[in-house]
Amino acid sequence: MLRKIIHIDMDAFYASVEQRDFPELRGKCIAVGGHEQRGVIATASYEARKYGVGSAMSSVIAKRKCPQLIFVKPRFEVYKEVSNQIREIFNEYTDLVEPLSLDEAYLDVTNNYKNVEIATDIANEIKQKIKERTDLTASAGVSFNKFLAKIASDYNKPNGLYIITPKMAKNFIEQLPIKKFHGIGKVTAERMQMMGIHTGAELKELSLEKLRREFGKSGQYYYNIVRAIDNREVNPSRVRKSSGSETTFNQDLESIEELQLALFPLMEDVWNWSVKKSIYGRTITVKIKYNDFTVTTKSKSASFPIKDKKLYDQICLDLLHEGFTGDKPVRLLGVSISNLENEILIGKQLIIPFKDLY
């Protein structure tokens, strides 16, 4: 039996929340995150996207593309609250909800609480309820697997709905540009284009052996998706592999004393998460990005979860001293913990319900 999968993706989520809450920002080119002189933006309003401004773009480049761009400080607690409202709507239909982030999720509605037979009807209902309860719009994709549902949700943005049926899948994928394939990043897409692969049809011509030889383990994934094969289930639990905090400074820092002061709040963010969740890591990593964009990371691993605050602090500071060369200014610092462990262990993997991460 074919599954009925919906992918819901909020439209310019952070920016839309800001425009909803602050009328003076409506219709304006805004970027959430970053700063005019420094940083990376999290997302941009659709008004700004018309100028080529996009998420994960340098603030300097974004401002150059859109001189009237307004930078807005992110309010993650508000975004989490809205995300929880949206999650409640999903749970009215199914418990098979797999969030990918605050603003998107997969739903398996093959069997659903309301016994609605047509998945498109459910997608429409969810979009309508999101609008009514949050005054925000979402786009939805409906198909028989996760890959196609994800592609479909991006097809008619914003406020769109697109369905890819089993009969449509073959022609749809063959005509799809490589850069639109979910799971094929920018670098890989460029490499494929250099090989003369521009569409799904051209990708489909490559044998499994050729794809494995060129792209390693990912070759199997590319071979499958271009044939509409995606057997991944919607998984309401996620394996959390790490937790971290980092910041980009408005002005470069040059001394170890300045860096230590800047590192303390990041250390506290990560430690407080561990205490709150009762999840501790065996590996601590400190990341340093210099003003020439070179990056140094230093890590230390223990044979046990690090639960002692003094030990945790000392390791973080030692790694900072070890990683800082002192010969050039620093623009970014980060701290993270990995190899997480707590009392809830299934096999050798830590399974954390996604709702517990927000």
Side-chain angles (χ1 to χ4, degrees), residues 30-288:
I30 73 168
V32 177
H35 187 272
E36 287 197 22
Q37 285 81 36
R38 177 62 57 83
V40 176
I41 64 176
T43 192
S45 65
Y46 279 100
E47 293 85 355
R49 294 183 186 193
K50 293 177 182 178
Y51 292 85
V53 179
S55 59
M57 179 178 287
S58 159
S59 299
V60 174
I61 294 175
K63 188 70 174 178
R64 193 180 304 144
K65 288 178 174 287
C66 182
Q68 67 269 39
L69 189 65
I70 301 169
F71 291 92
V72 179
K73 186 177 180 180
R75 299 180 297 146
F76 287 107
E77 289 305 314
V78 175
Y79 309 149
K80 291 174 185 176
E81 289 176 8
V82 178
S83 180
N84 287 334
Q85 285 182 273
I86 297 165
R87 194 77 47 78
E88 289 172 1
I89 296 172
F90 298 160
N91 291 334
E92 292 175 13
Y93 294 88
T94 178
D95 60 352
L96 293 179
V97 177
E98 181 183 337
L100 303 178
S101 61
L102 291 178
D103 62 342
E104 62 174 318
Y106 290 111
L107 292 75
D108 187 331
V109 295
T110 310
N111 300 302
N112 58 86
Y113 297 142
K114 301 198 175 186
N115 295 319
V116 178
E117 184 177 354
I118 301 174
T120 307
D121 291 343
I122 295 177
N124 269 317
E125 286 184 22
I126 289 173
K127 280 168 50 65
Q128 183 177 347
K129 288 181 179 180
I130 289 173
K131 180 63 177 176
E132 291 171 353
R133 298 183 195 178
T134 70
D135 198 25
L136 300 170
T137 63
S139 294
V142 181
S143 197
F144 55 92
N145 64 37
K146 292 168 75 172
F147 169 73
L148 289 171
K150 171 77 173 175
I151 296 292
S153 69
D154 198 43
Y155 202 72
N156 282 331
K157 269 187 164 291
N159 197 22
L161 174 63
Y162 195 75
I163 305 96
I164 302 176
T165 67
K167 289 183 178 179
M168 294 170 56
K170 180 177 180 293
N171 288 337
F172 181 91
I173 294 175
E174 288 181 353
Q175 295 175 25
L176 191 68
I178 283 298
K179 62 182 180 181
K180 295 287 187 181
F181 274 67
H182 177 58
I184 296 180
K186 181 180 178 181
V187 174
T188 302
E190 290 175 352
R191 182 180 171 192
M192 286 185 175
Q193 288 169 349
M194 291 290 289
M195 295 170 60
I197 304 168
H198 301 275
T199 65
E202 291 169 336
L203 177 60
K204 198 172 183 180
E205 292 176 3
L206 272 66
S207 67
L208 178 58
E209 291 72 22
K210 172 75 171 176
L211 287 169
R212 282 177 172 167
R213 188 165 58 251
E214 294 288 340
F215 303 103
K217 293 181 180 179
S218 298
Q220 181 72 63
Y221 174 74
Y222 303 150
Y223 181 86
N224 287 343
I225 59 173
V226 79
R227 290 165 174 79
I229 300 170
D230 182 6
N231 297 320
R232 294 173 299 158
E233 295 182 355
V234 172
N235 182 7
S237 296
R238 275 290 190 90
V239 178
R240 178 84 179 221
K241 296 182 179 179
S242 66
S243 178
S245 180
E246 64 179 41
T247 187
T248 301
F249 309 119
N250 291 333
Q251 292 185 334
D252 296 334
L253 304 185
E254 299 187 19
S255 71
I256 189 66
E257 292 78 16
E258 289 177 311
L259 291 173
Q260 286 180 166
L261 288 174
L263 191 68
F264 282 129
L266 305 179
M267 293 161 53
E268 289 299 307
D269 281 348
V270 176
W271 181 257
N272 290 338
W273 180 89
S274 288
V275 172
K276 182 179 178 181
K277 304 299 182 184
S278 295
I279 300 169
Y280 298 88
R282 292 189 292 108
T283 300
I284 297 174
T285 301
V286 170
K287 172 183 174 182
I288 304 171

